[in-house]
């Protein structure tokens, strides 16, 4: 039954199966180029929910189009970028944000690069410190010096 | 009959792999003389194992080529009308077949170790083959139990369900083999690491043996990732080339660590230092390859690339993963403390710069790792659904990559053991001056966007530093040119390969930065109308219907004009594959080698206007030129005499290398 | 310190195992998107009736008015959607039992639904009211990302439950019925 349902779902929703024929319709665009550029930038921050790992700016799915239109409406109405994103997040949750917001859940994520780098740097420091403790090799013996001289002469 | 033969060969291969994983190991434990006979079974079983997996793979390929729809896998993933090329490449365009390809490459790798590893010490070779045999046994078992590609289907379907049209493409057809060659290639380095841990001995010779395998895997991985991104660029239709998709990240992570491993193995070879770290890197690199396999095939990830999958298979792979990775890391925890560090090690030296390289590469890998898996674990731990998308990765990886790029230019100029940083920087003063002048001129005259400018400047810095390194080595300008040329010919291939690969990173970076300033034009056009993008003017000459063997579609004609003259035509297409009910876009790309003109067509409105999307991507081809050059650099290094004939016996250990007077 | 990588791997493997077993039980779904609307009031809207179909249109006021008496199901559907047909008998059963079901005919920027009335005629109409969401705007206000999606609204007008995908007999028995019982 499960498998059948899944097959039906896939057959029913060609929009789900099309990963990308992304091409924005110019008729959607805002007349003001500055506003249009903002709308594109906002679109790149919002995840297309039906197409997995694409922004709505990259997708031609129906929902992505609807969201693009709403983004442009809000931009034209004078909303700031944050307000537009908040408008969509209010309806679809943080899941739609391609840049995760900083909160209790994501603080570890945002801190991870610094933590990893600091941890790595400490490990490297410890490595050098231990290495300094190791005594340098004993000076060369006369015989070795002679051999070295022979070798470098070759 | 042929499918049954393939199935049978696979079962035999499983038995051989099981023998390969036990007998040589027992032999090695008994010692060089008493276990000689058992150890000798290693190469024999490895070669036989490789032969039977090849036979099995050949059988599946045959079933695809002749469209034997009584085989379930063929029926589900092929179609009689599909072009022959894609029938054959369709062999690995699905979960079961790609597993078989994975096994094939693993079997061929262990066969290669058996055949080409003549000068390896007997016990090391036996143990390496045994570890490879264990990995192969696990995955052969997985394939036979959960993903048998030779299952028959009844009643016989009239025709197949066709392959996902996105996979019916030369770029993607050959993307998996290279990628798997890379993934599985890291298994050899992994096996060397495990064998060394079992032996309890890591020395310069070990570093030298493990390097060619890592290099080969790295080259393949580089090409595989490059092919994948090239495919995304021309097939997905909006000119992007890297999306930080979880599956892309799954291939990037082993690449980053393999790059680190490549460099740290040099330190093992030259200085017998970083041994523990190098062993760990070798284990982790392969572990990340396995993690990628798990993520793609278990269904835990949300990705366009993921195979249709079920958790049952996921559990099986997870168990394999836990045994392989967990087992090797336990071995590491047990044996690594006994690997004593030797000698002095100064931060400002070639080896010091390689430590920095490893720190930054491992950090960037960890950042990608956290970003890729964070949504899964956040969901599991907090029940929170979040997305970690490209903006996060760009913001997190960028600060790590900039110092890496700055440092990779300086590192090769530092001598081993103890270096003078100022002397090295002084050698780069000409390069630095050129970069500075370029940056000022570029920002003042060309474009004010800071990030692309930084990208170009870093790219130039890396290329100039590589050129400086080469010029210094051949004493260009200080001795007669002919003598310099002779010196260039005499340079060790390893050095030349390194210089090529480093410069290639710069070239690739320039291409990536170029995407940051690429203008685009999205417009509605009627036949006869013209538009511009970047420096180009194009005329839209209408649409025509076209069709292929298993698709139909529309092609647009765009004529490139220069001073009113027709220079070239671009023909972007939209295709529809009826069997799979999928549409694809085929971008038309005209490249000059320095820039791409990129055209896609969209829908046509009732008023007869067609959506046309145009990009002018300066330097975009360099992304892939750079990628290919990186691999070329790797191959040149691989051809180094030292690595080819290479690997002198461990005699060197006894006659301690005399340290130069300080 | 040398055991650290092994321990980390063990922890990660445990996490992955929890994910996989959650996927089998249905408690962990990497693909599903949770609704942000659960626990919040029904968004304000007023939709026109389906042209050529003898049912009144739908507004948030209609939902609130009906929900005061007993919980309400709001179903987004379209005639081109095959899973909608899969769950359709379930909705016919709800209607026959007197459970109020409201329909919203789903449109997107690319896909309208000219076959809606023919579909209802052929398969039956379980809906007490049907609104037609021509701009797709109401669907976005509900956080809909595909059809079918079904919402349950309690007596105070708060959305209590959302299902993305068809309501199968299992989901009906395990989730819908208990919830309806507890809400009425």
């Amino acid at each position: 039954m499960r498998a059948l349902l899944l097959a039906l779902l896939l057959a029913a929703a060609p929009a789900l199966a099309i990963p990308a024929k992304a091409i924005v319709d110019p008729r959607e665009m805002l007349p003001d180029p500055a506003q249009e550029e903002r709308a594109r930038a906002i679109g790149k921050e919002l995840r297309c929910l039906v197409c997995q790992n694409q922004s709505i700016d990259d997708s031609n799915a129906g929902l992505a189009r609807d969201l693009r239109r709403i983004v442009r409406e809000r931009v034209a109405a004078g909303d700031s970028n944050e307000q537009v994103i908040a408008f969509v997040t209010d309806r679809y949750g943080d899941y739609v944000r391609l840049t995760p917001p900083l909160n209790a859940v994501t603080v570890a994520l945002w801190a991870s690069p610094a933590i990893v780098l600091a941890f790595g740097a400490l490990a490297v420091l410890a490595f050098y410190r231990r290495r300094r403790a190791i005594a340098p090799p004993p000076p060369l013996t006369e015989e070795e010096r002679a051999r070295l001289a022979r070798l470098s002469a070759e | 009959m042929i499918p049954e033969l393939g199935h049978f060969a696979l079962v035999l291969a499983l038995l051989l792999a099981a023998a390969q994983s036990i007998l040589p190991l027992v032999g090695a434990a008994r010692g060089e003389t008493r276990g000689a006979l058992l150890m000798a079974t290693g190469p024999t079983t490895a070669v036989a194992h490789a032969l039977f997996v090849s036979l099995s793979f050949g059988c599946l390929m045959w079933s695809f080529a002749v469209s034997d729809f009584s085989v379930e896998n063929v029926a589900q993933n092929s179609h009689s009308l599909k072009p022959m090329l894609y029938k054959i490449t369709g062999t690995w365009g699905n979960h079961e077949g790609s597993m078989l390809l994975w096994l094939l490459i693993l079997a061929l790798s262990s066969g290669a170790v058996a055949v080409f590893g003549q000068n390896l010490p007997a016990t090391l070779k036996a143990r390496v083959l045994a570890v490879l045999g264990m990995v192969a046994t696990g995955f052969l078992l997985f394939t036979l139990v959960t993903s048998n590609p030779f299952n028959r289907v009844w009643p016989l379907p009239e025709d197949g369900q066709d392959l996902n049209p996105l996979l019916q493409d030369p770029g993607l057809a050959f993307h998996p083999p290279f990628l798997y060659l890379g993934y599985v290639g890291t298994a050899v380095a992994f096996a060397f690491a495990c064998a060394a841990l079992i032996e309890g001995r890591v020395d310069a010779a070990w570093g030298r043996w493990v390097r060619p395998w890592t290099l080969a895997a790295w080259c393949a991985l580089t090409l595989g990732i490059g092919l994948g991104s090239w495919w995304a660029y021309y097939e997905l239709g909006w000119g992007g080339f890297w999306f930080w998709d979880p599956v892309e990240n799954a291939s990037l992570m082993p690449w980053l660590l393999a790059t680190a491993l490549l460099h740290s193995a040099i330190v093992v070879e030259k200085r017998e230092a970083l041994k523990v770290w190098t062993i760990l890197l070798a284990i982790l690199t392969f572990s990340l390859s396995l993690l990628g396999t798990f993520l793609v095939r278990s269904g835990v990830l949300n990705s366009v690339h993921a195979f249709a999958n079920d958790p049952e298979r996921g559990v099986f792979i997870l168990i394999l993963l836990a045994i392989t990775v967990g087992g090797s890391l336990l071995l590491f925890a047990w044996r690594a403390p006994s690997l004593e560090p030797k000698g002095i090690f100064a931060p400002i030296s070639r080896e010091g710069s390689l430590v920095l390289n490893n720190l930054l590469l491992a950090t960037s890998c960890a950042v990608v790792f956290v970003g890729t898996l964070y949504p899964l674990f956040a969901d599991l731990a907090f029940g929170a659904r979040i997305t970690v998308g490209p903006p996060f990765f760009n913001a997190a990886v960028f600060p790590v990559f900039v110092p890496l790029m700055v440092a990779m230019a300086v590192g090769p100029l530092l001598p081993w053991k103890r270096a003078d940083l100022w002397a090295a920087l002084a050698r780069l003063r000409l390069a630095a001056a050129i970069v500075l002048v370029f940056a000022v001129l570029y920002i003042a005259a060309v474009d004010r966007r800071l990030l692309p400018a930084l990208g170009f400047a870093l790219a130039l810095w890396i290329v100039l530093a590589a050129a400086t390194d080469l010029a210094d080595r051949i004493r260009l300008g200080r001795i007669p040119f002919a003598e310099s040329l002779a010196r260039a010919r005499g340079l060790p291939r390893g050095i030349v390969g390194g210089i090529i690969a480093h410069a290639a990173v710069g070239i690739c970076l320039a291409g990536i930065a170029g995407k940051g300033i690429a203008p685009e034009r999205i417009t509605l056009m009627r036949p006869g109308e013209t538009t511009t993008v970047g420096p180009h003017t194009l005329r839209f000459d209408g649409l025509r219907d076209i069709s292929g063997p298993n698709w139909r579609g529309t092609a647009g004609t765009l004529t490139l004009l220069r001073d009113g003259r027709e220079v070239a035509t671009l023909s972007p297409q939209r295709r529809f594959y009826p069997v799979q009910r999928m549409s694809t876009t085929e971008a038309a790309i005209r490249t000059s080698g320095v820039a791409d003109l990129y055209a896609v067509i969209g829908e046509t409105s009732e008023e007869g206007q067609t959506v046309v999307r145009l990009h002018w991507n300066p330097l975009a081809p360099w992304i892939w030129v750079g990628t290919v050059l990186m691999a070329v650099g790797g191959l040149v290094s691989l051809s180094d005499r030292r690595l080819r004939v290479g690997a002198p016996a461990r005699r060197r250990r006894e006659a301690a290398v005399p340290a130069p007077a300080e | 310190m040398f055991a650290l990588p092994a321990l980390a791997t063990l922890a990660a493997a445990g996490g992955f195992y929890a994910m996989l077993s959650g996927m089998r039980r249905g408690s962990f779904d990497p693909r599903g998107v949770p609704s942000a609307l659960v626990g919040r009031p029904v968004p304000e809207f007023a939709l026109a009736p389906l042209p050529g179909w003898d049912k009144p249109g739908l507004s948030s006021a209609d939902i609130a008015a009906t929900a005061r008496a007993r919980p309400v199901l709001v179903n987004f559907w379209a005639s081109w959607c095959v899973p909608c047909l899969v769950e359709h008998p379930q909705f016919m059963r709800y209607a026959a039992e007197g459970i109020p079901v409201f329909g919203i005919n789903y449109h997107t920027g690319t896909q309208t639904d000219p076959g809606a009335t023919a579909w209802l005629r052929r398969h039956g109409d379980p809906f007490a009211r049907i609104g037609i969401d021509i701009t797709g705007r109401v669907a976005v206000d509900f956080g809909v990302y595909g059809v079918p999606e079904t919402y349950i609204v309690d007596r105070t007008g708060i959305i209590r439950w959302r299902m993305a995908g068809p309501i199968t007999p299992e989901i009906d028995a395990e989730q819908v019925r208990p919830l309806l019982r507890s809400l009425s």
Side-chain angles (χ1 to χ4, degrees), chain B residues 294 299-302 312 329 385, chain C residues 9 16 24 29-32 34:
Chain B
F294 169 73
V300 295
L301 263 194
N302 211 343
E312 307 297 331
L329 287 175
R385 295 305 307 272
Chain C
T9 305
F16 282 127
R24 267 192 295 186
D29 177 11
R31 273 152 220 273

Side-chain angles (χ1 to χ4, degrees), chain B residues 276 291 294 298-302 312 314-315 318 325 329 332-333 336-337 376-377 379-380 385, chain C residues 2-3 5-6 9 11-13 15-20 23-24 28-34:
Chain B
V276 173
L291 179 75
F294 169 73
S298 67
V300 295
L301 263 194
N302 211 343
E312 307 297 331
V315 172
L318 186 61
V325 180
L329 287 175
F332 174 81
L376 288 173
F377 282 89
D379 191 1
L380 190 70
R385 295 305 307 272
Chain C
F2 290 98
T9 305
F16 282 127
Y17 183 76
M19 286 172 207
L20 289 172
M23 275 165 72
R24 267 192 295 186
F28 183 87
D29 177 11
R31 273 152 220 273
V33 186

Side-chain angles (χ1 to χ4, degrees), chain A residues 14-22 60, chain B residues 164-167 231 235-237 550-554 573-586 601 603:
Chain A
L16 281 176
I18 300 172
K21 50 170 185 175
N60 209 29
Chain B
N164 183 330
L166 286 174
L167 303 177
W231 166 81
E235 179 76 21
L236 290 187
N550 52 349
W551 53 269
R552 55 193 149 77
T554 315
Q573 303 174 358
R574 289 171 48 206
R575 292 182 184 174
F576 181 70
Y577 288 76
V579 182
Q580 288 258 323
R581 300 182 58 194
M582 264 181 80
S583 309
T584 64
T585 53
E586 306 288 318
I601 53 163
E603 282 144 42

Side-chain angles (χ1 to χ4, degrees), chain B residues 173-199:
Chain B
F174 296 103
H175 163 64
F178 277 109
L179 213 52
Y180 290 0
L181 207 57
Y183 285 157
V184 177
T186 63
V188 181
F190 167 84
F192 268 96
C194 291
L197 284 172
I198 298 172
E199 302 227 313

Side-chain angles (χ1 to χ4, degrees), chain B residues 15-325:
Chain B
L15 297 176
L16 285 162
Q20 180 191 338
S21 52
I22 298 167
L23 301 181
L25 203 58
V26 175
R30 284 197 179 166
E32 297 235 4
T33 40
R34 282 212 308 137
L37 195 65
L38 278 176
M39 286 199 285
T41 59
T44 320
T45 46
V47 168
H49 157 208
L51 284 177
F52 278 106
V53 177
S54 309
L55 175 63
S56 180
F57 188 80
C59 290
L60 186 64
M61 210 179 225
W62 172 263
S63 305
F64 268 91
V66 301
S67 291
D68 181 353
F69 295 125
S70 71
V71 178
E72 193 180 9
N73 192 28
V74 180
Q76 281 172 358
N77 297 294
S78 195
H79 192 275
S80 53
L81 292 178
K82 202 165 63 166
M84 181 50 88
L85 173 69
Y86 300 128
K87 281 185 183 173
I88 289 174
T89 63
T91 313
W92 55 77
N94 58 82
H95 164 73
E96 289 82 1
S98 65
M99 267 328 292
L100 198 54
L101 177 66
W102 206 99
L103 290 170
L104 174 71
I105 293 171
L106 183 61
L108 292 178
S109 304
S110 81
V113 174
V115 173
F116 298 115
Q118 302 290 9
N119 46 16
L120 293 174
T123 52
L124 184 72
K125 185 175 176 183
R127 286 172 172 138
V128 167
L129 287 175
V131 174
L132 286 171
M134 288 181 210
V135 176
T137 307
F139 281 90
L140 277 163
L141 207 59
F142 169 72
T143 306
L144 281 166
V145 173
T146 71
S147 319
N148 184 358
F150 297 107
N151 279 345
R152 295 278 198 172
V153 65
W154 188 262
L156 199 68
E158 240 168 77
D159 210 327
Q161 291 161 18
D162 212 350
L163 179 68
N164 183 330
L166 286 174
L167 303 177
Q168 298 188 30
D169 177 276
L172 206 60
F174 296 103
H175 163 64
F178 277 109
L179 213 52
Y180 290 0
L181 207 57
Y183 285 157
V184 177
T186 63
V188 181
F190 167 84
F192 268 96
C194 291
L197 284 172
I198 298 172
E199 302 227 313
R201 198 160 66 166
V202 179
D203 52 20
W206 181 88
R208 184 169 298 186
W209 286 317
V210 84
R211 234 171 85 76
W213 295 101
T214 314
L215 252 176
W218 180 85
C219 290
L221 204 51
T222 306
L223 285 175
I225 294 174
L227 266 175
S229 96
W230 182 52
W231 166 81
Y233 176 68
Y234 69 73
E235 179 76 21
L236 290 187
W238 70 98
F241 64 99
W242 189 262
F243 306 98
W244 296 106
D245 181 270
V247 173
E248 285 175 338
N249 293 348
S251 66
L252 181 66
M253 288 188 275
W255 186 84
L256 288 170
L257 281 198
T259 312
L261 176 60
L262 215 56
H263 291 89
S264 77
I266 304 179
V267 183
V268 176
E269 186 190 343
K270 298 275 188 199
R271 304 278 292 113
E272 290 214 15
L274 294 187
K275 291 190 281 193
V276 173
W277 169 244
T278 304
I279 293 274
L280 183 63
L281 263 184
I283 293 176
L284 290 182
T285 305
F286 181 57
S287 302
L288 286 177
S289 302
L290 286 184
L291 179 75
T293 306
F294 169 73
L295 292 178
V296 176
R297 293 166 200 273
S298 67
V300 295
L301 263 194
N302 211 343
S303 164
V304 274
H305 301 64
F307 288 100
N309 31 43
D310 60 295
E312 307 297 331
R313 274 182 194 155
V315 172
F316 203 123
I317 305 184
L318 186 61
I319 293 171
L320 281 182
L321 196 83
I323 294 175
T324 317
V325 180

Side-chain angles (χ1 to χ4, degrees), chain C residues 53-100:
Chain C
W53 193 251
D54 189 23
K55 281 280 170 68
L58 182 68
S59 71
S60 43
D62 297 327
I63 295 177
T66 313
R68 265 194 285 278
R70 57 183 308 179
V72 170
L73 275 77
V74 181
N75 177 239
F76 285 83
W77 65 279
S79 68
W80 44 262
C81 140
V82 180
C84 296
L85 192 57
V86 172
E87 68 172 4
H88 185 260
Q90 200 56 53
F91 281 96
M92 294 303 283
R93 238 165 283 150
Y94 293 141
E97 292 169 30
I99 299 169

Side-chain angles (χ1 to χ4, degrees), chain B residues 36 69 104 131 137 160 292 301 346 367 470 511 547 566 583 602-603 611-612 614 623 661:
Chain B
F69 295 125
L104 174 71
V131 174
T137 307
L301 263 194
V367 168
L470 183 66
S547 67
E566 298 181 357
S583 309
E603 282 144 42
V611 178
V612 177
L614 298 164
I623 299 174

